[in-house]
Amino acid sequence: MPAPRTGPPRTGPRTGSRTAPALIPRPTQLTMTAGEFVLDGRTGIRAGRGAEPAAALLRTHLAPATGLPLPLAPDGRVVLALDPQLTGLGAEGYGLTVGTDAVLLRAGRPAGLLHGIQTLRQLLPPAALSGTPAPGAHWSLPCVQITDVPRFPWRGAMLDVARHFLPVAFLRRFVDLLALHKLNVLHLHLTDDQGWRMPVAAYPRLTEVGGLPHGGAYTRAELAALVAHAADRGVTVVPEIEMPGHVRAALAAYPHLGNRPSRRLDVWRQWGVCENVLGVHDEVLDFCRTVLDDVLDVFPSRHVHIGGEECPTTEWHASPAARLRAEQEGIGGPEALHGWFMGRIGAHLHERGRQPLGWTETGVDLPSSFTAMMWRDEAHALAAARRGQHVIMAPYRSTYLDYPQSADAGEPPGQPGAVVDLRAVYATEPAPAHWEAEAADRVLGTQAQLWTEYVTTAEHAEYLAFPRLCALADTAWSGGGDWTGFSARLHHHRARLGALGVPSRPPTTTPSERKSR
Ligand code: ACM
């Protein structure tokens, strides 16, 4: 097993006289050897201890198009081996040898095997990814030797299901699309001013009222099944419950959680930053803890996102109760209530063994025990990293997929003010070279954001997500820095996206609502 490297790989587009397979993300090391391996009706899978889920995943993915049974067999020629001694491959790396007689996929940890399965899918003809049966096709893989280790452990995509509800069937499909690209985090933005999508037993009105205007809510069972579906593919679902701002849907359901309990608010039908925020009385903290305890029951992820961004303090300044709270806590004025609030709820998550995660807008606005998701400016991420925080890079100028992907007049309405094209996403630098090593080491990775003010259909969401998520995946897993090579690989990869039915053209119907960032 060649030693894995985490630096930029040296794989060129050609090896010898044959074109290297166009894998996305680019593997760390790839060597082509002569010949091909053919999967047919007699091919079996030999799965060592702990490798059975990877075998099941391969079978699940290949069955619709190939119809191949791929049974478990002691003499199977596709060998899947989990070997804890392979520590050099880290938590997610794998080694793959495709020879003419056998395929050997090895990893030290289960996630590595799952990622290797995705490589096998990409090595097959694109039709293997389709849902349409193609009986009798020649299912061959080129012979290769691959050693593949991700550069960053956090390779994510955020989906905003609050602004517009997206059906759970789409979420499952989206997880499959993430996994194909070795993206390993689905960050679900479950609540906002315009909607509340997760049921909470003690507060049924959250979804009864907050689920109304823009489409619906999930059941706990649906979310739990989504978490399991994602885990089977090496993807962690990270929930986000927004607080103390972006809560108008919750305030519409439970006015007593606000700063003027007698006021009746509706679920917001506008876009932008809403002035209505949670109050800071004990009942509100209890509400947040109760909500999060339900969330923790459904989502086992280590990180739990509690939002924190775009929280105007106008209402706290105007509220005698909030001013008194700030005074009693000895924290200065009402503007300090944001950090105080995040700290209190973060402590609750710590007590439950979870790691709080929030959006940072300055780099110093979250309690220092939080993981910081930076969305505005690289300098904020550096400031947070210098405070010792882990950071995730989500800069809006290169990772916000609600911006149009080109200036073309045919693009559907999107976030105004910028274009985030494929090249910009590819150029996202999770750990900028000019940072000192200590700060760079605190970067967990990067993720793309799909806000859905303009997105009402799954088709539109997919159109915005791809191929830009391919670029993010290449940067997050392989380290980027090879635009020409990426473009060439993407050219071939588009056939895979096509086989999967990912739309390459703008959707025909789109909403016309606009907001400004
Ligand atoms: C954000 O764009 N509201 C993080």
Side-chain angles (χ1 to χ4, degrees):
M1 175 74 47
R5 292 185 298 108
T6 52
R10 304 281 176 265
T11 313
R14 282 177 167 273
T15 306
S17 60
R18 292 197 300 150
T19 304
L23 299 174
I24 290 185
R26 178 184 56 188
T28 310
Q29 279 182 341
L30 182 151
T31 309
M32 297 201 70
T33 53
E36 63 178 24
F37 179 86
V38 178
L39 284 178
D40 60 27
R42 287 161 304 160
T43 310
I45 303 179
R46 180 159 28 124
R49 184 191 303 210
E52 300 88 349
L57 184 67
L58 183 63
R59 201 176 303 116
T60 300
H61 277 315
L62 296 189
T66 70
L68 296 176
L70 299 172
L72 290 178
D75 60 349
R77 290 187 303 130
V78 175
V79 180
L80 310 180
L82 191 60
D83 179 356
Q85 306 296 324
L86 295 174
T87 50
L89 293 170
E92 295 189 277
Y94 65 93
L96 174 65
T97 304
V98 179
T100 52
D101 293 332
V103 170
L104 172 60
L105 172 61
R106 299 197 301 166
R109 305 282 293 277
L113 287 184
L114 299 177
H115 296 318
I117 295 296
Q118 302 298 341
T119 300
L120 288 174
R121 291 177 78 202
Q122 292 198 19
L123 287 171
L124 283 159
L129 279 68
S130 162
T132 308
H138 182 68
W139 302 117
S140 68
L141 301 84
C143 291
V144 285
Q145 267 203 310
I146 290 174
T147 303
D148 205 6
V149 179
R151 182 169 171 212
F152 293 102
W154 188 293
R155 307 176 303 280
M158 189 218 74
L159 199 54
D160 169 11
V161 293
R163 266 49 177 274
H164 283 108
F165 179 76
L166 288 162
V168 76
F170 169 68
L171 302 191
R172 293 165 77 94
R173 174 175 158 87
F174 195 66
V175 163
D176 286 8
L177 290 169
L178 297 185
L180 174 66
H181 296 87
K182 301 186 177 70
L183 294 166
N184 65 350
V185 174
L186 171 62
H187 164 180
L188 262 193
H189 185 81
L190 285 162
T191 70
D192 214 302
D193 297 310
Q194 298 84 359
W196 187 291
R197 309 295 173 205
M198 156 125 193
V200 176
Y203 297 95
R205 285 173 57 80
L206 287 172
T207 45
E208 285 166 15
V209 173
L212 280 181
H214 305 92
Y218 306 108
T219 66
R220 269 174 76 101
E222 284 173 335
L223 291 171
L226 174 70
V227 167
H229 177 88
D232 288 347
R233 286 147 181 79
V235 176
T236 301
V237 185
V238 172
E240 180 185 359
I241 304 293
E242 279 271 17
M243 60 188 78
H246 285 281
V247 288
R248 172 88 168 234
L251 296 179
Y254 294 102
H256 72 279
L257 299 174
N259 289 289
R260 285 166 49 197
S262 59
R263 178 181 52 188
R264 293 292 170 268
L265 295 167
D266 57 358
V267 179
W268 222 29
R269 288 168 191 267
Q270 289 169 241
W271 312 124
V273 177
C274 181
E275 280 217 337
N276 308 119
V277 303
L278 290 173
V280 288
H281 37 298
D282 287 344
E283 230 175 327
V284 174
L285 296 176
D286 288 343
F287 163 80
C288 292
R289 295 184 193 111
T290 303
V291 166
L292 285 173
D293 285 349
D294 265 25
V295 168
L296 303 188
D297 275 351
V298 173
F299 297 94
S301 61
R302 189 169 101 78
H303 288 87
V304 173
H305 204 308
I306 57 169
E309 91 284 23
E310 294 179 325
C311 179
T313 53
T314 331
E315 288 197 345
W316 291 338
H317 279 279
S319 156
R323 288 200 305 271
L324 182 63
R325 174 65 104 173
E327 200 182 307
Q328 284 169 342
E329 297 291 334
I331 55 172
E335 56 287 342
L337 284 167
H338 174 270
W340 170 84
F341 192 105
M342 297 300 276
R344 295 292 292 265
I345 302 301
H348 181 71
L349 290 174
H350 281 303
E351 276 166 26
R352 298 279 190 275
R354 307 298 182 96
Q355 173 58 31
L357 167 62
W359 299 105
T360 183
E361 294 182 330
T362 61
V364 295
D365 47 353
L366 294 172
S368 57
S369 66
F370 273 53
T371 299
M373 189 168 270
M374 178 284 288
W375 67 283
R376 279 192 173 150
D377 196 313
E378 184 193 300
H380 303 158
L382 181 57
R386 284 185 173 156
R387 296 169 89 211
Q389 291 173 253
H390 280 130
V391 298
I392 297 158
M393 301 293 250
Y396 74 95
R397 287 177 196 284
S398 71
T399 67
Y400 271 30
L401 307 184
D402 54 332
Y403 286 108
Q405 46 201 317
S406 80
D408 197 293
E411 293 293 349
Q415 185 70 242
V419 165
V420 171
D421 64 16
L422 191 63
R423 198 167 187 144
V425 178
Y426 189 76
T428 303
E429 181 42 87
H434 61 273
W435 285 20
E436 65 272 15
E438 213 178 22
D441 283 348
R442 299 210 171 100
V443 175
L444 296 183
T446 182
Q447 75 170 34
Q449 283 47 246
L450 187 41
W451 302 104
T452 57
E453 286 94 335
Y454 304 94
V455 180
T456 57
T457 66
E459 183 197 10
H460 190 176
E462 274 184 35
Y463 172 73
L464 292 176
F466 294 96
R468 289 183 288 184
L469 281 180
C470 306
L472 189 93
D474 222 57
T475 293
W477 180 284
S478 324
D482 178 28
W483 170 251
T484 307
F486 169 73
S487 304
R489 283 180 288 117
L490 182 63
H491 177 74
H492 293 279
H493 189 70
R494 284 182 192 274
R496 297 185 192 118
L497 297 178
L500 286 159
V502 174
S504 58
R505 283 181 224 285
T508 44
T509 51
T510 54
S512 58
E513 297 133 327
R514 292 198 162 255
K515 75 159 197 175
S516 57
R517 174 154 290 130

